[in-house]
Amino acid sequence: MQSLPLPENPNFSSGPCSKRPGYALSELRTDILGRSHRSSLGKEVLESACTKTAELLGLPEGYRVGIVPASDTGAVEMAMWSLLGQRGVDVMAWESFGSGWVTDITKQLKLDDVRVMEADYGTLPVLADVDFTRDVVFTWNGTTSGVKVPNGDWIPDDREGLTICDATSAVFAMDLPWEKLDVVTYSWQKVLGGEGAHGMLILSPRAVERLESYTPPWPLPKIFRLTKGGKLIEGVFKGATINTPSMLCVVDYLDALQWVESIGGVSATIARSNESLAHIAEFVANNEWVHFLAEEEETISNTSVCLTLDTSPENVKKMVKLLESEGAAYDIGAYRDAPPGIRIWCGATVAPSDVQRLLPWLAWAFEQVAGN
Ligand SMILES: Cc1ncc(COP(=O)(O)O)c(C=O)c1O
């Protein structure tokens, strides 16, 4: 297939995601490596990761940004174990990661007043059924089904409970209504193409108020503790991390933030992602054998784009292998728990022109494997 141009970068994995265009390990600053994260330089670097994040995301006054252990999972668990239990909880799930939060709320935290609102792969639960007198836990973008919530219009400004949102494959790629979100978590390894290991925890003033006025009845390991003597540990949100972070991951994150700034900020990263999705949408419209897994257009993810194909799961696997062996696309098989299909990451670090180049390869691979 020499006649088809290959994507310049065939990395379309949904996590860890592609590094930014032009990324070079040798460009990362190294002065902090081998130094204490508690040195003034260490704290300065860590704090700058928090302040730069708040600045680029345009967080409202009073919102705090902290770096916490264990990637997005760590940040979500920390929030749930620290905040839940004061009132009833509505938890929504429409794919595997959301289902994981349901399991933890019902089987690990064992909260008794829980309403689980689930939907099949491809769809969303009925957002209008959510009761905002309760705490609400949900995923902004279901990475394994490619279904996102369309916007935040369904979240009232005068809610009584807290909204706790796992937004790991949405932050820096989708327009998030910060005032409607009390806890937002994400990891560096997604839209920014950073490294795993650390999670970002964003708290609204209402979330802080809950932390300072409510103590959960269960024990909290040190790694989850956000308060001391009933007060928020402000240091966590100023670069004094709970335990030792990888400073190499931190400088890698700073490099990603600098790239975001250099291309024009979050509106530019969102635009890149939308442009990639538009290429795929055109391809889907022109090829009757490929479909979005998301059933409603307004819920189609612009980061984790999940497609189903009119062929057997075995053929899909063969296509994925073939594309890998041709150097056209790596890691585009659907998530292990999701319906068979392919998933093309379209976060900002992926060049829309590479998505464009991938699509004819997809048609070629389908023809090779399933055409006759
Ligand atoms: C929606 C969602 N939540 C949580 C996670 C887990 O993230 P991490 O492995 O960074 O903890 C992922 C990873 O793909 C995800 O997509």
Side-chain angles (χ1 to χ4, degrees):
M1 285 314 295
Q2 275 80 345
S3 59
L4 287 179
L6 285 165
E8 281 178 22
N9 175 358
N11 293 342
F12 296 103
S13 153
S14 291
C17 301
S18 177
K19 289 292 183 190
R20 66 168 174 87
Y23 178 83
L25 203 52
S26 58
E27 274 181 31
L28 301 186
R29 63 182 282 186
T30 53
D31 57 342
I32 186 56
L33 305 185
R35 294 285 314 273
S36 168
H37 63 297
R38 310 250 184 242
S39 64
S40 51
L41 179 63
K43 280 217 195 107
E44 190 185 302
V45 169
L46 285 160
E47 186 170 10
S48 71
C50 300
T51 50
K52 200 87 212 153
T53 299
E55 199 182 298
L56 281 169
L57 292 176
L59 296 185
E61 193 63 33
Y63 274 55
R64 289 166 175 84
V65 182
I67 299 171
V68 301
S71 210
D72 180 65
T73 309
V76 177
E77 296 289 6
M78 188 173 199
M80 294 200 304
W81 288 75
S82 300
L83 293 162
L84 295 182
Q86 190 243 23
R87 59 180 64 220
V89 181
D90 279 8
V91 53
M92 281 187 280
W94 56 92
E95 49 79 66
S96 126
F97 285 104
S99 300
W101 310 142
V102 169
T103 301
D104 283 4
I105 290 171
T106 55
K107 301 217 164 80
Q108 296 295 326
L109 281 169
K110 296 190 170 76
L111 298 183
D112 44 26
D113 185 6
V114 181
R115 298 197 316 164
V116 178
M117 303 165 67
E118 289 174 303
D120 284 339
Y121 276 85
T123 61
L124 275 181
V126 180
L127 301 177
D129 288 349
V130 177
D131 177 357
F132 287 95
T133 63
R134 302 156 68 79
D135 291 332
V136 179
V137 179
F138 71 103
T139 304
W140 193 274
N141 179 75
T143 319
T144 66
S145 71
V147 173
K148 64 172 186 177
V149 294
N151 52 49
D153 296 353
W154 51 286
I155 305 172
D157 292 329
D158 61 351
R159 61 195 174 277
E160 290 172 34
L162 298 176
T163 45
I164 299 176
C165 177
D166 169 5
T168 198
S169 51
V171 177
F172 288 102
M174 300 177 196
D175 209 4
L176 295 179
W178 295 105
E179 305 274 5
K180 290 174 184 276
L181 303 173
D182 295 304
V183 178
V184 174
T185 66
Y186 69 96
S187 51
W188 299 338
Q189 48 104 356
K190 288 276 188 264
V191 177
L192 297 179
E195 294 298 301
H198 306 301
M200 295 303 271
L201 179 69
I202 299 178
L203 300 179
S204 76
R206 296 183 67 240
V208 174
E209 193 182 294
R210 170 76 63 84
L211 283 170
E212 294 188 333
S213 61
Y214 164 71
T215 307
W218 43 77
L220 276 183
K222 173 178 173 175
I223 216 89
F224 282 178
R225 285 204 294 271
L226 288 167
T227 58
K228 191 171 180 195
K231 282 274 162 220
L232 185 75
I233 305 174
E234 292 280 1
V236 171
F237 304 90
K238 293 195 167 72
T241 49
I242 296 173
N243 66 336
T244 314
S246 158
M247 296 309 287
L248 186 56
C249 294
V250 174
V251 292
D252 181 84
Y253 178 61
L254 285 173
D255 172 86
L257 292 180
Q258 202 176 352
W259 173 71
V260 171
E261 193 168 29
S262 74
I263 65 166
V266 174
S267 57
T269 51
I270 293 176
R272 278 172 74 84
S273 181
N274 283 337
E275 189 184 336
S276 291
L277 173 63
H279 291 312
I280 298 181
E282 190 185 341
F283 182 77
V284 169
N286 292 331
N287 291 277
E288 77 282 356
W289 50 268
V290 53
H291 319 276
F292 286 110
L293 179 55
E295 290 177 12
E296 299 292 332
E297 192 177 339
E298 61 172 7
T299 68
I300 297 174
S301 171
N302 54 307
T303 54
S304 58
V305 181
C306 295
L307 303 171
T308 59
L309 313 180
D310 292 340
T311 189
S312 65
E314 294 72 35
N315 278 348
V316 175
K317 277 197 188 132
K318 280 188 203 159
M319 280 177 68
V320 169
K321 270 206 153 138
L322 185 57
L323 290 166
E324 183 175 330
S325 67
E326 293 285 335
Y330 298 144
D331 312 322
I332 62 164
Y335 190 71
R336 56 178 188 259
D337 301 335
I342 59 174
R343 181 170 57 156
I344 303 168
W345 182 255
C346 289
T349 57
V350 170
S353 55
D354 278 343
V355 172
Q356 217 172 1
R357 283 183 173 206
L358 165 63
L359 296 167
W361 280 97
L362 214 55
W364 169 79
F366 184 80
E367 186 57 32
Q368 297 294 307
V369 166
N372 43 38

